[in-house]
C-alpha cells in the first residue's frame, strides 16, 4: 500500500466517524464541530483525487463561512435539548423512512448510474514554446468552461444569489423607534444664521429671604 492509499483510508475513516457523530451528538455545538471536521476530511479526499478547486472551495466557503455562521447561530439560539427530545419518537418513523429512501437512491446511483460512463481519457501533454511540459490544471479548465460555454448560467446564478442576499437583508431589516437617525438632507440645507439664536431675557436677581422669618428666628433663640 502506497502513501496515497494510506491517506485515502485515513481521511475516509475520519470522515465516516465525524459524519456519524454529527447525527448522534447530543450537543448541537459538538455536532457542528464534527461537521466541520467532516468537511475538512472530504477536502483532503478531493485533493487526493486531484480536484483541488473543489477542495479549496469547500474549505473557503463551507469551513470559512457557512460552518462558522452555523456555529454562531447555534450558540446564540440557546437551543434547549429537553424540548427538542420531546418530539423525537413522534417523528422517528418519518425520519427512518426518509433515511431509507435517501440510502436507496444513493445505492441506486452508485450501482447503476455509472454503467454507461466511459473511463476518463488521459490528458494530453501540453508543451510550451520552449518544448517544456506544462502541468495540467483542472481549475484553469473549469474556469474556461464556466466563462465561455456556461457563461449565461453562471451569470443567472450570480443574479439569483444577489436577489436572495438583498431579499434577506430587506426581510430582516426592522425600523426601531428608539434609534435616533440624522437626516443628511436637513443637515446640508442648514444655514449659519440658523445654527445659533440669541434670545433676550430679563435680568433676574436671587430671591431675598423674608424679614418676618429672620425676626421669628431671633425670638426663638432669645
Amino acid at each position: 500500500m502506497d502513501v496515497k492509499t494510506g491517506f485515502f483510508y485515513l481521511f475516509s475513516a475520519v470522515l465516516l466517524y465525524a459524519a456519524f457523530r454529527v447525527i448522534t451528538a447530543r450537543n448541537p455545538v459538538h455536532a457542528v464541530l464534527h461537521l466541520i471536521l467532516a468537511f475538512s476530511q472530504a477536502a483532503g479526499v478531493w485533493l487526493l483525487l486531484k480536484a483541488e478547486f473543489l477542495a479549496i472551495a469547500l474549505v473557503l466557503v463551507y469551513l470559512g463561512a457557512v460552518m462558522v455562521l452555523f456555529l454562531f447561530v447555534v450558540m446564540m439560539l440557546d437551543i434547549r435539548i429537553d424540548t427538542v427530545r420531546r418530539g423525537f419518537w413522534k417523528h422517528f418513523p418519518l425520519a427512518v423512512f426518509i433515511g431509507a429512501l435517501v440510502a436507496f437512491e444513493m445505492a441506486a446511483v452508485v450501482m447503476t448510474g455509472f454503467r454507461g460512463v466511459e473511463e476518463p481519457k488521459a490528458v494530453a501533454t501540453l508543451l510550451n514554446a520552449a518544448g517544456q511540459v506544462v502541468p495540467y490544471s483542472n481549475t484553469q479548465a473549469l474556469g474556461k468552461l464556466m466563462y465561455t460555454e456556461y457563461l449565461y448560467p453562471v451569470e443567472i446564478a450570480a443574479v439569483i444569489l444577489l436577489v436572495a442576499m438583498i431579499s434577506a437583508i430587506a426581510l430582516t431589516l426592522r425600523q426601531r423607534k428608539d434609534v435616533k437617525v440624522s437626516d443628511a438632507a436637513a443637515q446640508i440645507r442648514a444655514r449659519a444664521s440658523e445654527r445659533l439664536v440669541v434670545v433676550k431675557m430679563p435680568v433676574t436677581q436671587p430671591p431675598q429671604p423674608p424679614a418676618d422669618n429672620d425676626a421669628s428666628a431671633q425670638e426663638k433663640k432669645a
Side-chain angles (χ1 to χ4, degrees):
M1 183 174 63
D2 55 352
V3 179
K4 184 177 179 179
T5 306
F7 275 110
F8 175 77
Y9 284 117
L10 176 62
F11 290 151
S12 301
V14 178
L15 175 60
L16 292 176
Y17 167 75
F20 179 75
R21 286 295 299 162
V22 169
I23 61 177
T24 57
R26 296 183 177 181
N27 194 339
V29 178
H30 294 171
V32 173
L33 293 177
H34 282 95
L35 186 58
I36 294 175
L37 178 61
F39 281 152
S40 63
Q41 301 305 306
V45 173
W46 282 348
L47 282 176
L48 294 177
L49 296 176
K50 297 181 180 181
E52 65 273 3
F53 177 78
L54 295 178
I56 294 174
L58 182 62
V59 172
L60 293 179
V61 177
Y62 285 92
L63 294 184
V66 177
M67 285 298 98
V68 176
L69 179 62
F70 283 178
L71 187 60
F72 276 103
V73 169
V74 168
M75 295 176 66
M76 287 189 299
L77 286 180
D78 191 15
I79 301 176
R80 300 185 179 275
I81 307 300
D82 298 334
T83 56
V84 176
R85 291 178 182 174
R86 293 176 183 175
F88 176 77
W89 295 107
K90 179 181 179 181
H91 303 286
F92 182 74
L94 179 61
V96 171
F97 173 74
I98 295 177
L101 180 61
V102 171
F104 174 76
E105 291 177 352
M106 293 177 63
V109 170
V110 172
M111 294 181 180
T112 62
F114 299 98
R115 290 183 179 179
V117 179
E118 299 179 356
E119 295 184 0
K121 299 180 180 179
V123 180
T125 304
L126 300 178
L127 300 177
N128 55 10
Q132 299 176 354
V133 178
V134 179
Y136 176 77
S137 175
N138 57 0
T139 305
Q140 183 179 2
L142 183 60
K144 288 182 178 179
L145 285 176
M146 289 177 60
Y147 293 102
T148 54
E149 185 175 353
Y150 299 98
L151 178 60
Y152 290 113
V154 170
E155 291 181 351
I156 292 174
V159 172
I160 293 175
L161 290 176
L162 179 61
V163 172
M165 182 177 63
I166 297 175
S167 302
I169 295 174
L171 290 175
T172 56
L173 183 62
R174 296 291 184 273
Q175 294 183 357
R176 297 177 55 182
K177 297 180 180 180
D178 56 344
V179 177
K180 296 181 179 179
V181 181
S182 59
D183 190 0
Q187 293 177 353
I188 295 175
R189 291 194 303 267
R191 292 177 296 179
S193 59
E194 298 176 352
R195 295 180 180 272
L196 179 63
V197 179
V198 180
V199 180
K200 294 183 179 181
M201 298 180 63
V203 180
T204 59
Q205 298 181 355
Q208 299 293 331
D212 297 338
N213 295 337
D214 295 340
S216 61
Q218 292 179 0
E219 291 178 357
K220 288 181 180 180
K221 289 182 181 181

